[in-house]
Amino acid sequence: MDESKKNPQLSLPPKEFLGTFEERISWAGSMVQINDEEFKDLSPKEHAALMYIDMIKTFVSGRVFRNAELSVVPRLGPNMLRTIQFNEPKRDGGNDWTFAGDTMTGQKRLDNVHALLKDVIENKVIGDYIETGVWRGGSSVLAKAVLEVLDPNSNRVSYVCDSFMGLPPGEKKLSKRDAGWDNTPYLEVASDIVANNFIKYGLLDSNVIFAKGFFNETMPPLAEEIKSLSIMRLDGDMYESTVDVLYHLYDKLSIGGYVIMDDWFGFPSKTACEDFFAVHGMEPEIIPIDNLSAYWKKTEDVQEISVQKMCLIATSRFTILAEYINFNMT
């Protein structure tokens, strides 16, 4: 990163927050009886970790700004977007785009990232975290924050993958619905902006690795570098972008790990997943997060497939997909 573009750190490191929060909880807890089921069995240290993580959620989602925040009405294309008064229910489900925040994923999806990372940490599922399609980086910032406080002694890497210039033109003929995702300036966020979002929260370190480029360019070398993954969070919207990630990295996902699909209901990325399931003979349990997103847990390894097997499936899309995968993986 060019030093001239680096912004100052605005937030204390996680350890400083945790110490301050733990002191407050211990002091206040000495004078009250905590009856709430969610909190009564938590130690001050555990409670402080939850406070810190939830604080980061409010910042990256833009909810911390309350009436000073705006809801941007989602729309693809080059035209100027419009804002409306901040709509908390829409933000909860990720149905608006944030104005001042760092992620458009919404509260329910942020809670999901937190919950699944907590699960893989507690169950000792090995592997790094990867997000493919990060926009301003807020979801990846949250994931790094969770790892810092719940798994502070691990060396799990957070991979932050994006073109940092918007989505590809969708010209590979894999899906007719891939067209039109490019040329939306609001979705084009430079890597310096994303890096600065890690910096301002004190969360940029050597275990945060940026992979810049379209996924057909970055996934092949990452497949050589990455040993194992515990969570894959895909936010590429398109069929093509989803194919590039799944076919290169799914075998790196540990048993007990998760795939989070930010774009599931009504997106071409869902079709890409269903085709991936078909050619591998998979039937994972799909668990909805909100009205747009879903995830599944990897419970078994999948067999490696051949291009010839894909061509046996009698649809033109599979034939085109086989040719595309053969080109990009050889």
Side-chain angles (χ1 to χ4, degrees):
M1 181 181 182
D2 188 334
E3 287 294 323
S4 66
K5 296 182 178 180
K6 186 179 289 187
N7 291 343
Q9 180 175 319
L10 301 181
S11 175
L12 292 171
K15 288 182 181 179
E16 300 291 335
F17 272 110
L18 293 177
T20 301
F21 290 167
E22 190 173 346
E23 182 178 338
R24 171 56 60 90
I25 292 163
S26 296
W27 172 71
S30 68
M31 297 176 282
V32 301
Q33 180 177 331
I34 299 175
N35 295 317
D36 188 284
E37 290 295 327
E38 183 179 356
F39 297 105
K40 68 178 185 179
D41 294 327
L42 292 181
S43 68
K45 184 176 181 179
E46 292 169 331
H47 195 162
L50 182 60
M51 282 177 63
Y52 172 75
I53 292 168
D54 278 354
M55 181 188 72
I56 294 296
K57 290 177 189 176
T58 67
F59 273 97
V60 298
S61 67
R63 297 174 85 140
V64 70
F65 305 117
R66 295 176 60 82
N67 293 333
E69 170 65 326
L70 297 167
S71 288
V72 178
V73 179
R75 187 178 63 180
L76 297 176
N79 296 329
M80 189 73 71
L81 301 180
R82 67 183 183 90
T83 64
I84 58 174
Q85 184 178 17
F86 175 52
N87 187 312
E88 186 124 9
K90 283 185 176 293
R91 185 64 49 89
D92 194 48
N95 292 306
D96 67 345
W97 290 352
T98 182
F99 179 77
D102 303 318
T103 179
M104 59 177 70
T105 54
Q107 186 69 31
K108 291 180 180 178
R109 276 172 262 171
L110 292 174
D111 289 344
N112 172 254
V113 170
H114 175 194
L116 297 188
L117 277 168
K118 185 173 183 286
D119 180 86
V120 298
I121 291 167
E122 290 178 347
N123 289 293
K124 296 180 171 55
V125 178
I126 63 169
D128 301 322
Y129 177 91
I130 190 167
E131 182 163 11
T132 57
V134 304
W135 194 49
R136 296 176 182 172
S139 292
S140 290
V141 167
L142 172 68
K144 177 63 174 173
V146 173
L147 291 172
E148 283 293 302
V149 299
L150 298 187
D151 203 13
N153 298 317
S154 81
N155 291 313
R156 294 183 196 258
V157 173
S158 295
Y159 289 95
V160 182
C161 309
D162 205 289
S163 72
F164 302 104
M165 58 181 183
L167 282 84
E171 60 191 12
K172 303 296 191 302
K173 299 180 180 179
L174 292 169
S175 171
K176 293 179 180 178
R177 298 172 65 207
D178 272 2
W181 291 91
D182 59 335
N183 197 28
T184 302
Y186 204 69
L187 301 181
E188 299 168 5
V189 180
S191 59
D192 292 331
I193 294 174
V194 179
N196 275 320
N197 284 334
F198 278 88
I199 290 170
K200 72 182 178 185
Y201 298 111
L203 292 169
L204 186 64
D205 61 25
S206 60
N207 282 331
V208 177
I209 296 178
F210 282 62
K212 184 176 182 177
F214 291 131
F215 300 151
N216 64 328
E217 302 165 338
T218 58
M219 293 303 111
L222 281 179
E224 296 294 324
E225 176 182 330
I226 294 172
K227 293 182 179 179
S228 60
L229 295 165
S230 58
I231 292 184
M232 299 169 60
R233 189 174 192 282
L234 281 65
D235 191 1
D237 302 276
M238 300 166 57
Y239 188 107
E240 174 188 336
S241 300
T242 305
V243 162
D244 288 328
V245 178
L246 287 177
Y247 283 87
H248 283 100
L249 296 184
Y250 193 75
D251 66 330
K252 303 288 184 178
L253 185 65
S254 299
I255 300 297
Y258 295 93
V259 176
I260 305 170
M261 294 299 302
D262 191 81
D263 318 296
W264 184 257
F265 297 104
F267 289 87
S269 52
K270 179 176 184 283
T271 306
C273 290
E274 291 170 338
D275 287 351
F276 183 81
F277 300 158
V279 298
H280 288 89
M282 295 169 54
E283 294 183 0
E285 179 188 3
I286 305 300
I287 304 170
I289 302 169
D290 54 26
N291 66 347
L292 295 175
S293 305
Y295 71 98
W296 75 85
K297 185 176 186 176
K298 185 175 181 180
T299 57
E300 60 182 353
D301 286 318
V302 296
Q303 292 184 349
E304 200 169 312
I305 60 163
S306 66
V307 172
Q308 290 75 19
K309 179 180 177 181
M310 293 172 70
C311 289
L312 289 175
I313 301 177
T315 71
S316 60
R317 186 175 72 249
F318 274 104
T319 303
I320 296 170
L321 175 59
E323 294 171 352
Y324 178 75
I325 294 299
N326 189 44
F327 177 79
N328 281 278
M329 300 190 72
T330 57

